[in-house]
Amino acid sequence: MSVGFIGAGQLAHALVKGFTAAGVIAANRITASSPDTDLPTVSGLQKMGVNFTTSNKEATHKSDVLFLAVKPHIIPFVLDEIGPDIEDRHLIVSCAAGVTISSIEKKLLQYRAAPKVMRCMTNTPVVVREGATVYATGSHAEVEDGKLLEQLMASVGFCTEVEEDLIDAVTGLSGSGPAYAFTALDALADGGVKMGLPRRLAVRLGAQALLGAAKMLLDSEQHPGQLKDNVCSPGGATIHALHFLESGGFRSLLINAVEASCIRTRELQFLADQEKISPAAIKKTTLDKVLQQPGVSSTSDATKSSVNLFNNRTGVKK
Amino acid sequence: MSVGFIGAGQLAHALVKGFTAAGVIATHRITASSPDTDLPTVIGLRKMGAYFTTSNKETVNKSDVLFLAVKPHIIPFVLDEIGPDIEDRHLIVSCAAGVTISSIEKKLLQYRPAPKVIRCMTNTPVVVREGATVYATGSHAEVEDGKLLEQLMGSVGYCTEVEEDLIDAVTGLSGSGPAYAFLAVDALADGGVKMGLPRRLAVRLGAQALLGAAKMLLESEQHPGQLKDNVASPGGATIHALHVMESGGFRSLLINAVEASCIRTRELQHLADQEKISPAAIKKTTLDKVLQQPGATAAGVGVRTGLNLFNSSTSKHKKN
């Protein structure tokens, strides 16, 4: 089995690192593509032994499972580009926040009778094999396709199937979650430094405390509130600290964060549902690089509407 | 080597669970004691195969490394009770927040010329072998004693030696830290449930996201701010969420929490430095249970002023 990544940024890099560390697939069976070779993650991918190419079509040809690891607004553009190259064997796995299975299937049905599509939401800790992933299966993908994806993603963390309409909420919670944690860790370390600890030790202790607590929770049947109670001895230091957190509406800020991320995901979904990509969303140099790839035609239905604005200047019509 | 715990509560239970899971010591070489047999953790300790007794003195006699796992205000009381039983071999490890090495040494010097004392601050995730522990070594403990403790505590998580005057700050950060995390996961799960997720899944995803992020940070040379930047794609969902957190002063709340816990720890240190325990701090039933233990004398237990108030009723327990 070969795996491909359209997109060679943070997500592709993190997944490849996790997969190869887990030994679930060999690096030489992985291809990643991007017209942009300047991304810092590109050299990382190459160092891991992945085949890197500037041609998305080449990544498609070389893969059985094809991850779409580009930003949501790029998805329609990419689908039009690789649509003609999709075969029956391909399993398309979109990781783009807010991009619905039906929007992807709708595009691909122009090229193929029964495109196998899955949608997943994962997060960057896949890079250390402690990711959180959920997925939903499209109408033409089989149960075995879901199991295959689950096998891949479970090698790098927690993975479970969900109803597609829960994925935006998952984005707000575990998709964005690591960023909430990094912010918290930075602040906890500041607190430690304020009270006299050296920075390195403060960062280390803060991260270790969060990791240990999260592991306790995952390994326990108990409610987080019960575990919190167990740490708060009467009149002790911890309950004094918790009072400050509650007074400042700590809990509410986190609820707000999950909500804000989820709502923005739904907004992105709306933008991605548009079938034409605005020329304002792509750099002309990037578009040129794509058009220069073998097999890409500026007159194909695909790029026609997107490239109308550029017709005069690109002149690389085949 | 045998290990003993004075106190059979949350901390003793968590450490015993971690040590035995790590295989660093066999359960039958562990003794835990408490006059209070009703603690829920007592059952847990027994189930793990640790030897439980109501006699602190018995624990001392059966141990080489002796953890003081009681609440800070109980420490002076316990030290007076077990002082006469400390031998040269004993390594006393106090886990009590805010209790200084010098206060412990001062008490024990009444009984022994060179008591070996180490102070440590750990946290409950030792129970899943992902604890965070720091320790400082007293004047009579050797480097090897520190290494021995580091070996024990290193089997259940991160462990490093620090200057004693940093321990209160560590209490505020990683001592109390798990509580901040439990609060955060509860709130994150509420957020997930608000947006439509089932509770179990929301708790699972929230805890997994925190665990994964913490692991990334521990394994990375990068600054947490850099890791945060890497997750926040332009115009994306995450940066929108981060904005609402910053607007609410999220970071400041956590700095406040670490500070509050550290300050309270220093207050507790002041209370623990008192040499006599106020009778208001101990239940009479608990005191009676201690006095009933073989070898315990009312005079030997550091409740002098308190006991005066009780003299008439406890006279039957005085031993000659």
Side-chain angles (χ1 to χ4, degrees):
Chain A
M1 178 193 65
S2 299
V3 169
F5 290 87
I6 305 293
Q10 295 287 342
L11 182 58
H13 182 266
L15 282 171
V16 171
K17 195 157 182 186
F19 288 159
T20 51
V24 72
I25 184 164
N28 59 37
R29 301 198 73 87
I30 303 177
T31 308
S33 60
S34 167
D36 184 355
T37 52
D38 289 335
L39 294 168
T41 41
V42 168
S43 53
L45 284 162
Q46 285 169 320
K47 275 189 196 151
M48 284 191 276
V50 163
N51 304 309
F52 175 78
T53 169
T54 48
S55 165
N56 291 336
K57 283 175 171 302
E58 187 183 339
T60 307
H61 291 148
K62 289 190 151 97
S63 313
D64 305 310
V65 178
L66 188 65
F67 284 92
L68 305 181
V70 291
K71 295 186 177 57
H73 65 284
I74 302 291
I75 292 277
F77 187 71
V78 159
L79 291 175
D80 277 332
E81 183 194 351
I82 63 171
D85 302 280
I86 303 292
E87 308 277 338
D88 282 343
R89 74 176 191 279
H90 281 109
L91 176 61
I92 311 296
V93 182
S94 165
C95 306
V99 178
T100 58
I101 290 176
S102 71
S103 70
I104 298 173
E105 284 178 340
K106 190 170 173 186
K107 269 240 170 270
L108 292 181
L109 281 164
Q110 300 171 34
Y111 306 99
R112 200 120 208 106
K116 296 196 293 182
V117 178
M118 302 190 64
R119 174 181 179 185
C120 87
M121 171 49 50
T122 183
N123 64 4
T124 45
V126 290
V127 74
V128 290
R129 299 181 61 197
E130 287 289 357
T133 307
V134 300
Y135 69 94
T137 316
S139 26
H140 308 290
E142 308 288 340
V143 167
E144 300 86 59
D145 297 316
K147 293 300 165 200
L148 176 60
L149 180 67
E150 199 166 318
Q151 221 181 328
L152 271 171
M153 301 309 294
S155 76
V156 292
F158 173 70
C159 180
T160 191
E161 183 182 9
V162 294
E163 299 86 336
E164 191 186 1
D165 59 13
L166 297 188
I167 293 187
D168 296 337
V170 173
T171 308
L173 176 52
S174 54
S176 297
Y180 314 156
F182 296 136
T183 304
L185 288 168
D186 204 8
L188 284 169
D190 278 345
V193 170
K194 177 175 180 179
M195 306 318 289
L197 299 181
R199 173 66 60 172
R200 273 184 76 99
L201 179 64
V203 173
R204 185 77 203 251
L205 291 173
Q208 186 63 37
L210 274 209
L211 191 150
K215 185 155 198 241
M216 276 179 79
L217 188 50
L218 288 170
D219 284 2
S220 165
E221 289 301 312
Q222 292 184 308
H223 191 285
Q226 179 64 56
L227 292 172
K228 175 215 82 184
D229 288 355
N230 293 350
V231 187
C232 293
S233 42
T238 304
I239 193 73
H240 277 70
L242 286 184
H243 188 191
F244 267 93
L245 292 178
E246 299 285 9
S247 300
F250 180 76
R251 293 179 188 253
S252 186
L253 291 180
L254 286 166
I255 299 176
N256 290 345
V258 174
E259 182 179 53
S261 173
C262 178
I263 287 174
R264 177 60 178 170
T265 300
R266 292 172 182 164
E267 282 176 4
L268 290 173
Q269 177 177 318
F270 173 73
L271 293 170
D273 277 347
Q274 294 173 345
E275 296 193 22
K276 296 180 188 33
I277 195 86
S278 151
I282 298 187
K283 286 190 286 193
K284 181 167 184 303
T285 45
T286 307
L287 181 57
D288 271 6
K289 286 181 196 170
V290 172
L291 290 173
Q292 279 163 34
Q293 298 306 322
V296 178
S297 159
S298 63
T299 56
S300 70
D301 274 339
T303 44
K304 215 186 284 182
S305 46
S306 322
V307 185
N308 274 339
L309 242 62
F310 295 105
N311 257 352
N312 296 335
R313 303 186 205 123
T314 52
V316 275
K317 286 182 189 171
K318 292 196 190 296
Chain B
M1 179 195 62
S2 300
V3 170
F5 289 86
I6 304 293
Q10 294 287 341
L11 183 58
H13 181 265
L15 282 171
V16 172
K17 194 159 184 184
F19 288 160
T20 51
V24 73
I25 182 161
T27 42
H28 64 257
R29 304 197 73 90
I30 301 177
T31 308
S33 59
S34 167
D36 184 356
T37 51
D38 288 336
L39 295 169
T41 42
V42 169
I43 302 170
L45 283 163
R46 281 199 168 118
K47 276 193 190 148
M48 286 189 277
Y51 177 69
F52 177 79
T53 168
T54 48
S55 167
N56 290 337
K57 282 172 174 300
E58 190 182 349
T59 299
V60 176
N61 292 335
K62 288 188 148 88
S63 312
D64 304 309
V65 178
L66 188 66
F67 284 90
L68 305 182
V70 292
K71 294 186 176 55
H73 65 284
I74 302 293
I75 293 279
F77 185 71
V78 158
L79 291 175
D80 275 331
E81 182 195 351
I82 64 172
D85 303 281
I86 304 293
E87 308 277 337
D88 280 344
R89 75 176 189 281
H90 281 110
L91 175 61
I92 311 295
V93 181
S94 165
C95 306
V99 178
T100 58
I101 292 176
S102 72
S103 70
I104 298 171
E105 284 178 341
K106 190 169 170 186
K107 267 239 172 274
L108 293 179
L109 282 165
Q110 300 170 32
Y111 305 98
R112 203 121 208 104
K116 296 195 291 182
V117 178
I118 293 186
R119 175 182 177 185
C120 88
M121 169 49 51
T122 182
N123 66 2
T124 45
V126 290
V127 75
V128 291
R129 299 183 59 200
E130 287 290 356
T133 307
V134 300
Y135 70 94
T137 318
S139 25
H140 309 288
E142 307 288 337
V143 167
E144 300 86 58
D145 297 316
K147 291 302 165 199
L148 174 61
L149 180 69
E150 203 167 315
Q151 219 179 334
L152 272 170
M153 301 309 294
S155 75
V156 292
Y158 173 71
C159 180
T160 191
E161 184 184 8
V162 293
E163 300 87 336
E164 191 186 0
D165 61 11
L166 297 187
I167 294 189
D168 296 338
V170 172
T171 307
L173 175 53
S174 54
S176 297
Y180 315 154
F182 298 137
L183 213 72
V185 177
D186 203 10
L188 284 170
D190 279 346
V193 170
K194 177 174 180 179
M195 306 318 289
L197 299 180
R199 174 67 57 174
R200 272 185 76 98
L201 179 62
V203 173
R204 185 79 204 249
L205 291 173
Q208 184 64 37
L210 283 202
L211 190 149
K215 191 165 191 222
M216 275 179 81
L217 184 52
L218 286 170
E219 296 190 8
S220 166
E221 289 303 310
Q222 292 185 308
H223 191 284
Q226 179 64 58
L227 292 172
K228 175 213 82 181
D229 289 355
N230 293 350
V231 186
S233 44
T238 304
I239 195 69
H240 277 69
L242 288 178
H243 187 193
V244 302
M245 287 168 64
E246 299 284 6
S247 301
F250 181 79
R251 292 176 189 254
S252 185
L253 293 180
L254 286 165
I255 299 176
N256 289 346
V258 174
E259 181 180 52
S261 173
C262 177
I263 286 173
R264 177 61 180 168
T265 301
R266 292 172 183 164
E267 282 177 4
L268 291 172
Q269 177 179 317
H270 172 72
L271 293 170
D273 278 346
Q274 294 173 347
E275 292 191 27
K276 294 183 185 42
I277 195 83
S278 150
I282 299 188
K283 286 189 286 192
K284 183 170 183 305
T285 44
T286 307
L287 181 56
D288 272 4
K289 284 180 195 171
V290 173
L291 290 173
Q292 277 163 38
Q293 298 308 319
T297 68
V301 172
V303 194
R304 292 185 185 87
T305 46
L307 214 49
N308 278 338
L309 244 59
F310 295 109
N311 253 355
S312 42
S313 35
T314 55
S315 56
K316 60 183 183 291
H317 295 121
K318 280 192 188 159
K319 287 191 194 292
N320 297 320

